[in-house]
Each structure stands twice: as structure tokens, then as C-alpha cells.
Amino acid sequence: MTRLDQLIVQGKQALADDEFAKAVELLGEVYGDERSFENNWLFSKALYQNGQAETALTIAREFVGEYMWTTEGYEFYFDLCLVASSFVAARRLALGSIDFEKQENRLERLKEAEEKARKENGELIKKRARELKHLAAFDAFTQQQIYQDAQLLPFEEYFDAAKQVLIDPDCLPLIRMTILIDMQSLMVDEELTYRYIDGKNYTTKINHAGNPLTHPAYEAARDYLQEVIGQEDPVSSELLHEQLKLEFNALFPQIDRVTDPIAWMQKDIQRFQSIPDNEERKESSDQAKLHELVYHFLSILEV
């Protein structure tokens, strides 16, 4: 048995004996040496049991995708979000439950946790909601911190304040973009007004727009990229794929305006490789203008 195996055995025994501080010490050392999903879960569990839910959630986020693959992992991560008062993430998980009974149960538990938070931390919740609603009054760094703190708000307070951010031209564009995608993932089924990358306000039912990274236009562009560059130059392909994801998040919720995703991807490749336009597939005038708007929008985010 290796030293790491011994630490794991001792850490599990400490958990079984309710010696949670000892378990944190032992399993933290394990995770420091070997950052696997299994060790992440053990360390997160020890932190959770030791009353350190916020730290446990921070650690668990490193493997959030893996937690989503099993019912047990999904439930553990949802519980972490509830106890850590990460209510926006908890709502997203509850609504993402495939089993209707589990969804109803999780939404009810979330409602109870939000009510408890309002009773115990009412003034803090009001402060965070007020800061989010008046986000533009703060500098860029503070805006980002306020947005992160707002993830701890109950949904009603978050939604009410976020609606103001969506139409405020002085809020960070990245935060407006992120909130729009939040609203879609939180299945908000009412009309929302938002400021788009063209500087104009639009009104739509955001829940009807679909996920930007499962949209057929995105999938067609991604598949074309993999076909023409993926095997030949994996590094460039990965960089272009990350760029494509940013572009389609920026396009949301008006992704249907991309009528020729292949031409879109060809333009991205030409730009990335610093080669002049060729005669493959020209973008339409409308799509080309939209593409330039996206480039400009993303260049602002990089400043």
C-alpha cells in the first residue's frame, strides 16, 4: 500500500468516525498530491462535513462536469450549492434535473433555503441586490466582484436586479452577456429587454432562444473547423474553437442571424491565419456586418 493509499484509508476512517477536521487534513494532503475526481470528491466531502461548504464548493467546481454524470454526484453538488448559498447555480441544477420528481424536490428545497437566507441575512441580500441593480456606478473590477456576489442572491432578487443591468450601457459588456446566458439557463419564460452588441435594445423571451453552444449554426461551424484543421493543426483548432464559443455567446440570443455558419468559420480561419479573403463562401452583407460587430465586441472584452 502506497503512502497515498494509506492517507485515503485514514481519511475515510476519519470521516466515518466524525473526525472531520482530521479528515480535511488527511484528504487535503491526498488531493494536493493527486488531483483526481475521486480525490476531489473525498476532499470536498470532508470540507462539507467540517462546516466549510463554501470552500468545498470552490474545490468541487474544479471537476463540476464529472459531478454531473451520476445521480449521487449531481445531488452532492446541488447540496453543496444550497449550503454555500450559491442559489443561482442551485436553481440551474434543479431545473436541469431530468427526473420531474427530483426537479420538484430540489426546487422546493431551494425555495426553503432562500427563505431561510432572507430571514437570517436579509440586509446583506438587499445590499447585494442594490449593488447589482446599480452596477454601472462601480469600476470594472468591482463590477465583476458584485456580479460574483450576486450569484448568492435568491432568484427573485437576482432576477429583479439583473433586468436593470441588461439595458444599462455603462455596465461591463461581458457581464451583460453572461447574465443573458444565465437567464436562458435559468429558464426565464418571460419577455426581457436587453442591450445587444449593436448598441440597440431588443425584447424577447430568452428561454425560447436555446443554448448558444447547442445551436445548429454553432455545431455546423465547429464541425467544419474540426474537419479542415482539427487533425492537421490541433493547437490552432483548439484556439479557434475557443474563439468560436466566445463569438456564439456574444451573438446570443440572436444566433439565427448566422445564416451561413461555414462562411462564418472560414472567415475566422482566414483572420486567424492572417490571409486575405478568398472566394470560397462569402458571407452575406448582413452576416458580415454582424461578424464585424462580434469582433469589435470581443476586442472590447480583451481591453
Side-chain angles (χ1 to χ4, degrees):
M1 182 180 290
T2 67
R3 169 183 163 276
L4 214 58
D5 290 335
Q6 290 176 340
L7 288 172
I8 290 172
V9 170
Q10 292 169 7
K12 287 181 176 179
Q13 188 59 53
L15 280 174
D17 295 339
D18 293 346
E19 296 178 346
F20 301 130
K22 181 179 179 182
V24 167
E25 181 181 353
L26 292 166
L27 296 173
E29 187 175 346
V30 170
Y31 189 58
D33 286 350
E34 186 178 292
R35 289 180 174 259
S36 67
F37 171 54
E38 292 75 14
N39 293 340
N40 178 285
W41 196 338
L42 282 171
F43 185 34
S44 298
K45 183 178 180 181
L47 288 164
Y48 179 28
Q49 296 285 10
N50 198 44
Q52 297 172 259
E54 293 85 354
T55 305
L57 181 57
T58 299
I59 295 297
R61 282 196 187 103
E62 296 176 17
F63 284 88
V64 59
E66 283 81 352
Y67 281 103
M68 299 300 103
W69 281 104
T70 66
T71 301
E72 186 182 3
Y74 202 101
E75 185 68 16
F76 175 73
Y77 198 89
F78 176 74
D79 284 343
L80 274 185
C81 289
L82 276 192
V83 178
S85 299
S86 187
F87 295 131
V88 173
R91 182 178 177 84
R92 189 180 292 115
L93 287 169
L95 292 169
S97 306
I98 298 174
D99 186 301
F100 179 74
E101 288 187 8
K102 283 188 172 63
Q103 182 185 100
E104 289 292 296
N105 175 264
R106 287 171 180 155
L107 286 172
E108 184 59 34
R109 288 161 58 199
L110 173 58
K111 182 179 178 181
E112 291 172 0
E114 288 178 332
E115 284 300 322
K116 180 181 178 184
R118 289 187 183 102
K119 291 176 182 177
E120 296 179 354
N121 301 299
E123 290 306 312
L124 178 59
I125 287 172
K126 289 177 183 177
K127 176 178 178 290
R128 284 175 170 158
R130 186 166 56 248
E131 288 177 341
L132 182 61
K133 186 174 288 189
H134 300 289
L135 195 65
F138 302 90
D139 61 67
F141 177 81
T142 307
Q143 285 192 33
Q144 294 178 61
Q145 186 57 57
I146 289 170
Y147 169 75
Q148 291 301 322
D149 289 343
Q151 300 298 296
L152 305 177
L153 287 170
F155 175 70
E156 289 182 13
E157 287 83 351
Y158 174 74
F159 181 54
D160 180 63
K163 286 189 292 186
Q164 180 63 38
V165 177
L166 288 177
I167 58 174
D168 194 328
D170 296 320
C171 292
L172 283 178
L174 176 62
I175 292 179
R176 289 203 308 268
M177 180 182 81
T178 306
I179 287 176
L180 270 175
I181 296 170
D182 280 348
M183 295 303 178
Q184 191 275 335
S185 67
L186 294 170
M187 301 185 185
V188 173
D189 192 25
E190 66 176 77
E191 289 194 336
L192 286 176
T193 300
Y194 63 94
R195 183 180 176 85
Y196 197 51
I197 56 176
D198 58 8
K200 298 177 183 178
N201 285 357
Y202 296 85
T203 300
T204 190
K205 280 197 170 186
I206 215 76
N207 192 34
H208 295 182
N211 188 309
L213 302 186
T214 58
H215 192 284
Y218 166 79
E219 293 179 341
R222 178 203 61 201
D223 292 348
Y224 176 78
L225 170 64
Q226 180 62 27
E227 178 185 338
V228 298
I229 291 188
Q231 299 299 322
E232 178 183 326
D233 188 350
V235 174
S236 295
S237 179
E238 182 60 27
L239 290 171
L240 280 162
H241 187 204
E242 291 303 313
Q243 169 76 11
L244 183 68
K245 288 192 283 188
L246 283 173
E247 289 173 350
F248 272 73
N249 280 325
L251 284 166
F252 182 80
Q254 299 190 29
I255 300 174
D256 287 340
R257 291 172 64 179
V258 179
T259 55
D260 190 341
I262 305 303
W264 183 286
M265 194 68 250
Q266 288 178 352
K267 178 67 176 179
D268 276 0
I269 293 170
Q270 290 164 12
R271 190 181 178 100
F272 180 80
Q273 296 177 338
S274 299
I275 59 177
D277 290 347
N278 56 35
E279 297 299 323
E280 285 188 82
R281 287 171 68 153
K282 291 289 186 183
E283 294 185 288
S284 67
S285 175
D286 287 343
Q287 182 171 304
K289 289 177 183 176
L290 181 65
H291 210 157
E292 286 302 317
L293 280 174
V294 171
Y295 285 147
H296 176 67
F297 180 79
L298 293 180
S299 71
I300 293 173
L301 299 188
E302 293 172 358
V303 174

